[in-house]
Amino acid sequence: MVQDIKKNHPPAFKEKVAIEAIKEAETPGQLASRFAIHPIQVGVWKKAALSAVHQFFSQGNAKAKKEKEDEQEELYKKIGKLEIENDFLKRKVGMLE
């Protein structure tokens, strides 16, 4: 009778296997044999790594866009404040004349 033993591999091990799978120097079966894991697990970790890379670069663009929008909003607030101050000063100068 075969027992189902679930192994918890450390993240560093998963990274190593995923990087090797991305290189495609060996087949998933060869990698599975070398690292003593199931071949399907190689594909799962490879897919997860590629997805993480995509998310990393997508979030970088989103972060830059968010920073730009925040900066633009801050500038609009400053412009509004300066317009109010300018109008106030124009009225005060008008009263002096």
Side-chain angles (χ1 to χ4, degrees):
M1 180 177 188
V2 177
Q3 291 182 343
D4 290 333
I5 300 173
K6 188 172 182 175
K7 295 180 182 178
N8 289 325
H9 299 286
F13 177 77
K14 294 177 184 179
E15 291 169 14
K16 184 176 182 179
V17 173
I19 290 170
E20 290 297 320
I22 291 169
K23 289 180 184 177
E24 295 184 349
E26 299 176 69
T27 66
Q30 291 170 327
L31 289 172
S33 177
R34 182 161 60 120
F35 291 107
I37 57 173
H38 196 279
I40 291 177
Q41 193 64 59
V42 173
V44 169
W45 291 343
K46 176 183 176 182
K47 186 176 179 180
L50 291 173
S51 175
V53 168
H54 174 72
Q55 289 176 350
F56 172 78
F57 287 112
S58 296
Q59 289 175 351
N61 291 339
K63 185 178 178 181
K65 185 177 179 183
K66 174 77 171 132
E67 288 175 356
K68 185 177 179 180
E69 288 173 355
D70 290 346
E71 182 181 355
Q72 188 176 18
E73 184 179 329
E74 192 65 34
L75 290 173
Y76 283 136
K77 286 180 184 179
K78 285 183 180 181
I79 290 170
K81 183 179 177 183
L82 291 171
E83 285 179 344
I84 291 170
E85 289 175 359
N86 193 25
D87 290 343
F88 175 78
L89 293 172
K90 282 182 183 177
R91 281 186 271 136
K92 288 294 182 180
V93 169
M95 289 180 173
L96 294 175
E97 295 179 274

